[in-house]
Structures are given as C-alpha cells and as structure tokens.
C-alpha cells in the first residue's frame, strides 16, 4: 500500500484538528452561539470527509475479486465493510435520527451486521455501485446536518466517524492477509491463490472450527481449574534488554468521558496502581526473533496451558506478518495473538501489562496530576507524532516518533501496532450501552482481551489513551503486537 496522504487534500487531512486542537473534554470551549454551532457543523463535516477520503483511498487499486474475497473465515470481504459503512451511517443518521425511510431497502439484508453469515457476504455490487450508495447516503446526511440538533446528537455523529474508521482498519488488515497470501506464505501455512474455496481456505475454515471448539473447551476448563500449570519462576532470558520505565505507585484517572468517548470508555474513574515497570517500546522483531531462535514455539514451559493447546492446533512457528528482513529489526513484532505475547513475556521473565498499567503509562502526567487524552498532550493525533491513518502503510521502527512519547517516557503508545494487555474486556462501573446494546456489551463475556493504542491503520478519531479495542486471545490477523511489564 502506498501513501494515502497524497490522495487527500491537505486542507482536509486533520486540518480542523490542528487549528482547533481537541481538548481533553473533547468539546469546543465556546458557548453555543449560532456562529459556533456553524463551526461545529463545519468541523463534523470536515472530519467525516477526511475519514471518507482515507476509506476510499484503500480501494484505489482493488479489483472486483479482491473486493469480494472472503480471505479469512473471521473477516468479511472488504467490499462488505464498505457497504456496511454506508448502511450504518444511513441507519443512524437518516432512519433513526432524521426519521427518513430507508433509501436502499434492498441493501439491508446484505450490509446489516447481524443478518448474513460472513461466508455469504461475497455476492456484492461492484465498487462503483457501493460508492454511489455511500455518496447518496452522504448527500442526504450532509443535508440533515444543516439543521440537526447537535447539542443532542453530537455524540452520535462522532461515533459514526469512529465506526467508519474502525471498519477502515479491518479493510486494511484483510488487504494485508490477501497480500500475504499472494506473495506466497511463510511459516507453516500454505500458499493460497486468492480463489474462494481453495483447499487452503477449507483448511482455514477447519482450523477456525477447531478453534471455536477450543474456545468452548477453554471456557469449561476455566471453571474447572483456575490456575494454569506453568513454571512459576522461569529462568529469565534477556535477549536484547529493553529499557523499562518505573511508574511509581499511586492513583490515576482511567477512562474517558468526553463527547468522543465510546460507551466502554465511560466514565472516568480513579484507579490505584502499585509500582510497576513498563517497557519503553513495544517488543521488536529482533527481540522476538530470539524467542523463536531459542525454540520458544517448541517449548511448553513459556506457554499458558491454553496457549500451548492453541499452538498444538495452530502449528505455527512465527508471527503471522513475520518477515526475516533485517529492515524490520527495530519494527514492533506484528501479527501475534495474546497467547504468543504472553509466552514471550514469560520467556523474558516479564508479563503483559494490565490495561490500567498500560493506560497510566500512556496518559498520566504525574507533575500536573492530570490525565492527558494523548501521550503528548491534548492535540489530536497527526502523522508527525505517531504512525497512524494508513499514511505509511506498514510498521515503523519503535523509536521513530520521539515527539510522541508519554509523560513517563514511553514511545509508540499510539499508532504502529495495537498492544495486547492482560485485561479481559469488561464494563467500568456505571457503564451505559451506546448507541446500541450490542456495540460493547455483547463482548463483556470473559472471552475477549483488551488491546490499546491503535496501529498504522487506525485513524486519528479512534486513537486516544483511553480507547479500548477487544479480540479473542487466539486472533492473529489484527495489526497487533505488545510491550511487557514487570511488578515493582
Ligand atoms: C471494536 C474493532 C472489535 O470491528 O468488530 C464495528 C468495532 N463494532 N462495528 C469490530 C465495530 C461494530 C469492532 N471492534
Ligand atoms: Fe460495524
């Protein structure tokens, strides 16, 4: 993927954010005079347009086969994601909010999130038709923005930008999977021609079913034995020692109650955290390679019981997006699941940080005694402070953005790769579902781990220290790595 920024007029690309920096409370600080209401409408419009530019640029060189390709059983085709973006925008801003009748009722079955199984989402209109759908919805949406009661609706409008941005990231990762398949696969997975229903796709479906039953077994065994039988104090290997930062005991403010906050981030609440150490950077390919070279994938001692069980089924020996190229040495490892991250951490005598440890290391300013929305302060993310927004199209060295460090001195907390944490995704006390019950609440099931920080394919609207992502621990396809922690 090439730089997308080039395709975006520079006045659209987060210009509103730069001249009018978001504050921690996420609101414009002016009273709601009619002038500022006009500004607010203008700002929302610019954000939606900037987001759409980035989404559409992902399709610039995509052919129809790629558009419809069901590249992995857990992820819908990229063309489906594009249609679903339009569908969701119309559902919330035209049907629910403005009370308009559906413009494209025939797309409901195809693009709603809860109707067709993923494997049946391959019969799609072509890119031009889906673009017409997007544009028709958008025209009506901007017409309704002119008079929309933003004092009541601003949160919904901001939610929709983040919704599109998250689907844009899934589109990017599906494109990565397709690229990987076409370039011939490394590791133990066989090459795939890109055709649906190939032998290797069947294998993958099988593997996915195995993993599903594995998830069920795991749930059963969780209640049977609570502690995992691994060596309590393994001999730590120290391949390339990473600098760790000491974060002193004390309470900090976790979460986010701003107008941008998704339901799962709310409300802000104080949490006391004991002294701990946090890696200054995510784990690099060079560091992770030492785990591979030391037979990490062959030795059960580093793995949780669940992780070892997963590995026996999956039969992999390296991260999904692994490359032996030395150019990647200082890039974060990318394409590991939670089990691999957990095993590596044990191998180096460390552990994964909890979500609050990660968030405190990213956001807490211990001099001002305040949380910052972003590691560097309260100015919205841009491409100079972190690797985001599909601007580069791949990972970068973990120390490439010195201006992006957090008050405690951690690099790369936002952008580059998502980072797995030790925490199960769950509600904060006082949680209220928004905009619908299933958005987060359906995943508070003790089966999803929290990821923090965003990747190179995350848009600025979805990047902040409090943002919470979640996936099953066996998922390797997302653009995720990790950093380690240790107790004080
Ligand atoms: C939070 C990224 C796991 O893509 O499944 C999009 C976000 N929810 N539409 C997902 C989401 C509904 C969600 N993740
Ligand atoms: Fe969605």
């Amino acid at each position: 993927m090439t730089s997308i920024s080039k395709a975006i007029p520079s006045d659209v690309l987060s210009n509103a954010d730069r001249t009018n920096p978001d504050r921690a409370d996420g609101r414009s600080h002016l009273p709601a005079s009619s002038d500022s209401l006009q500004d607010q409408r203008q700002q929302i419009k610019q954000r939606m347009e900037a987001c759409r530019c980035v989404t559409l640029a992902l399709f610039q060189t995509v052919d129809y086969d790629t558009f419809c390709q069901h590249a992995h059983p857990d992820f819908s085709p990229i063309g489906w994601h594009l249609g679903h973006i339009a569908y969701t925008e119309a559902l919330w801003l035209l049907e629910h909010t403005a009370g308009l009748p559906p413009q494209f009722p025939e797309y409901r079955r195809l693009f709603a999130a809860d109707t067709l199984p993923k494997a049946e989402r391959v019969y799609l209109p072509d890119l031009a038709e889906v673009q017409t759908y997007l544009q028709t919805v958008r025209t009506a949406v901007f017409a309704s923005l002119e008079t929309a009661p933003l004092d009541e609706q601003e949160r919904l409008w901001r939610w929709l930008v983040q919704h599109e941005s998250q689907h844009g990231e899934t589109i990017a990762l599906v494109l990565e999977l397709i690229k990987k398949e076409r370039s011939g696969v490394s590791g133990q997975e066989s090459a795939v021609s890109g055709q649906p229903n190939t032998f290797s796709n069947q294998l993958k479906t099988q593997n996915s079913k195995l993993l599903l039953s594995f998830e069920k077994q795991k749930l059963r065994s969780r209640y049977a034995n609570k502690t995992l039988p691994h060596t309590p104090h393994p001999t730590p290997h120290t391949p390339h020692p990473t600098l760790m930062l000491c974060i002193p005991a004390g309470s900090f403010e976790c979460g986010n109650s701003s107008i941008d906050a998704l339901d799962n981030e709310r409300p802000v609440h104080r949490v006391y955290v004991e002294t701990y150490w946090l890696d200054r950077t995510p784990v690099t390919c060079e560091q992770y390679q030492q785990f591979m070279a030391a037979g990490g994938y062959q030795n059960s001692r580093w793995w949780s019981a669940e992780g070892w069980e997963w590995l026996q089924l999956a039969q992999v020996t390296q991260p999904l997006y692994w490359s032996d190229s030395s150019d990647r040495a200082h890039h974060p490892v990318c394409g590991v699941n939670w089990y691999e991250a957990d095993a590596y951490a044990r191998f180096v005598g460390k552990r994964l940080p909890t979500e609050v440890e990660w968030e405190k290391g990213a956001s807490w300013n211990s001099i001002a005694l305040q949380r910052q929305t972003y590691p560097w302060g309260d100015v919205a993310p841009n491409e100079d402070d972190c690797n985001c927004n599909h601007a580069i199209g791949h990972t970068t060295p973990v120390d490439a953005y010195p201006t992006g460090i957090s008050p405690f001195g951690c690099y790369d907390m936002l952008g580059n790769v998502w980072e797995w944490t030790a925490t199960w995704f769950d509600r904060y006390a006082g949680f209220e579902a928004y905009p619908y019950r299933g958005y987060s609440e359906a995943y508070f099931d003790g089966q999803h781990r929290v990821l923090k920080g965003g990747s190179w394919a995350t848009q600025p609207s979805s990047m902040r220290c409090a943002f919470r992502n979640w996936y099953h621990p066996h998922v390797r396809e997302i653009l995720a790595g990790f950093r380690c922690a240790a107790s004080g």
Side-chain angles (χ1 to χ4, degrees):
M1 210 174 301
T2 50
S3 171
I4 278 162
S5 316
K6 287 193 207 92
I8 302 166
S10 60
D11 58 326
V12 171
L13 189 71
S14 67
N15 203 28
D17 295 334
R18 259 174 249 219
T19 52
N20 208 348
D22 275 18
R23 301 178 348 146
D25 61 10
R27 275 198 177 277
S28 129
H29 18 289
L30 302 167
S33 70
S34 64
D35 262 9
S36 76
L37 196 62
Q38 263 327 101
D39 287 352
Q40 213 183 341
R41 294 190 205 286
Q42 203 49 40
Q43 203 194 63
I44 288 176
K45 196 171 169 183
Q46 275 178 2
R47 282 164 189 256
M48 292 174 86
E49 281 175 334
C51 180
R52 184 57 52 83
C53 268
V54 173
T55 306
L56 290 177
L58 295 169
F59 290 84
Q60 265 169 2
T61 58
V62 162
D63 59 26
Y64 185 62
D65 281 349
T66 308
F67 195 71
C68 300
Q69 188 178 335
H70 190 209
H72 185 282
D74 294 346
F75 298 92
S76 302
I78 62 171
W80 182 87
H81 285 279
L82 193 63
H84 169 77
I85 288 167
Y87 173 80
T88 307
E89 191 170 301
L91 178 71
W92 289 98
L93 295 178
L94 301 178
E95 295 175 46
H96 287 355
T97 305
L100 299 169
Q103 283 172 302
F104 295 83
E106 69 276 23
Y107 284 157
R108 187 187 185 276
R109 201 177 124 73
L110 182 55
F111 291 130
D114 50 6
T115 43
L116 285 184
K118 290 190 174 71
E120 285 169 41
R121 295 174 178 176
V122 293
Y123 309 106
L124 299 169
D126 65 15
L127 174 61
E129 260 179 83
V130 178
Q131 274 185 296
T132 305
Y133 179 34
L134 282 160
Q135 196 45 54
T136 310
V137 169
R138 199 33 88 76
T139 305
V141 159
F142 281 163
S144 106
L145 177 60
E146 297 294 319
T147 55
L150 284 184
D151 45 341
E152 294 158 29
Q153 290 178 5
E154 189 177 357
R155 193 173 172 204
L156 185 63
W157 289 77
R158 288 175 178 254
W159 178 83
L160 276 154
V161 176
Q162 297 179 64
H163 179 262
E164 177 166 342
S165 131
Q166 292 188 72
H167 280 282
E169 171 144 6
T170 308
I171 290 165
L173 80 84
V174 172
L175 285 171
E176 287 298 298
L177 293 172
I178 293 172
K179 197 161 82 183
K180 194 177 109 64
E181 282 179 359
R182 291 189 180 161
S183 69
V185 184
S186 43
Q188 310 226 333
E189 289 165 54
S190 51
V192 177
S193 67
Q195 302 301 313
N197 261 332
T198 56
F199 176 61
S200 108
N201 263 9
Q202 285 165 16
L203 267 184
K204 277 200 219 161
T205 310
Q206 254 173 29
N207 190 27
S208 184
K209 280 185 193 142
L210 279 172
L211 285 172
L212 269 180
S213 63
F214 165 70
E215 288 289 313
K216 279 186 205 135
Q217 260 177 32
K218 188 192 74 185
L219 262 184
R220 263 180 248 125
S221 66
R222 177 154 341 128
Y223 299 106
N225 61 341
K226 285 216 176 289
T227 50
L228 297 171
H230 61 72
T231 331
H233 295 291
T235 327
H237 287 231
T238 43
H240 269 249
T242 316
L243 199 60
M244 294 188 92
L245 301 165
C246 181
I247 305 197
S251 68
F252 88 111
E253 285 166 8
C254 182
N256 169 24
S257 299
S258 83
I259 192 75
D260 285 309
L262 302 191
D263 58 0
N264 58 60
E265 294 167 68
R266 294 154 76 98
V268 171
H269 52 288
R270 281 197 93 83
V271 183
Y272 178 83
V273 191
E274 293 292 351
T275 300
Y276 65 103
W277 297 78
L278 188 62
D279 282 353
R280 195 172 61 143
T281 63
V283 171
T284 63
C285 291
E286 178 181 67
Q287 290 162 346
Y288 195 86
Q289 207 276 330
Q290 311 239 1
F291 172 64
M292 288 156 55
Y297 280 90
Q298 285 78 42
N299 192 340
S300 65
R301 72 180 295 196
W302 310 123
W303 297 77
S304 65
E306 290 168 19
W308 188 248
E309 252 182 278
W310 165 77
L311 186 59
Q312 300 322 296
L313 289 169
Q315 291 289 312
V316 298
T317 54
Q318 58 186 26
L320 184 68
Y321 299 119
W322 185 259
S323 149
D324 281 320
S325 159
S326 62
D327 299 352
R328 293 254 197 115
H330 300 292
H331 289 220
V333 67
C334 183
V336 287
N337 67 19
W338 189 90
Y339 299 124
E340 292 165 285
D342 172 67
Y344 174 90
R346 197 170 290 110
F347 170 74
V348 292
K350 301 182 190 174
R351 59 175 174 78
L352 291 179
T354 61
E355 180 180 16
V356 290
E357 287 171 340
W358 190 99
E359 193 167 324
K360 185 176 178 184
S363 68
W364 192 240
N365 185 326
S366 62
I367 293 164
L369 293 177
Q370 270 180 4
R371 61 182 277 279
Q372 298 179 173
T373 304
Y374 313 103
W376 50 82
D378 289 326
V379 178
N382 65 70
E383 293 155 18
D384 299 325
D385 293 326
C386 61
N387 179 4
C388 66
N389 212 19
H390 309 261
I392 291 175
H394 51 76
T395 56
T396 45
V398 293
D399 54 0
Y401 294 90
T403 58
I405 63 171
S406 73
F408 283 117
C410 292
Y411 282 71
D412 248 2
M413 296 303 274
L414 297 192
N416 219 3
V417 289
W418 287 98
E419 298 182 21
W420 288 105
T421 73
T423 300
W424 292 107
F425 186 53
D426 202 355
R427 75 196 68 220
Y428 293 151
F431 171 83
E432 282 176 47
Y434 182 88
Y436 57 98
R437 266 194 62 135
Y439 182 74
S440 300
E441 206 170 1
Y443 303 93
F444 295 150
D445 57 1
Q447 296 188 62
H448 295 80
R449 298 279 185 178
V450 173
L451 295 114
K452 301 288 279 188
S455 77
W456 56 261
T458 313
Q459 291 201 30
S461 65
S462 305
M463 301 178 77
R464 51 185 170 269
C465 302
F467 191 96
R468 314 175 75 196
N469 203 351
W470 65 86
Y471 278 97
H472 283 119
H474 68 257
V475 174
R476 314 175 84 210
E477 291 72 28
I478 53 175
L479 306 170
F482 61 102
R483 77 180 68 213
C484 299
S487 300

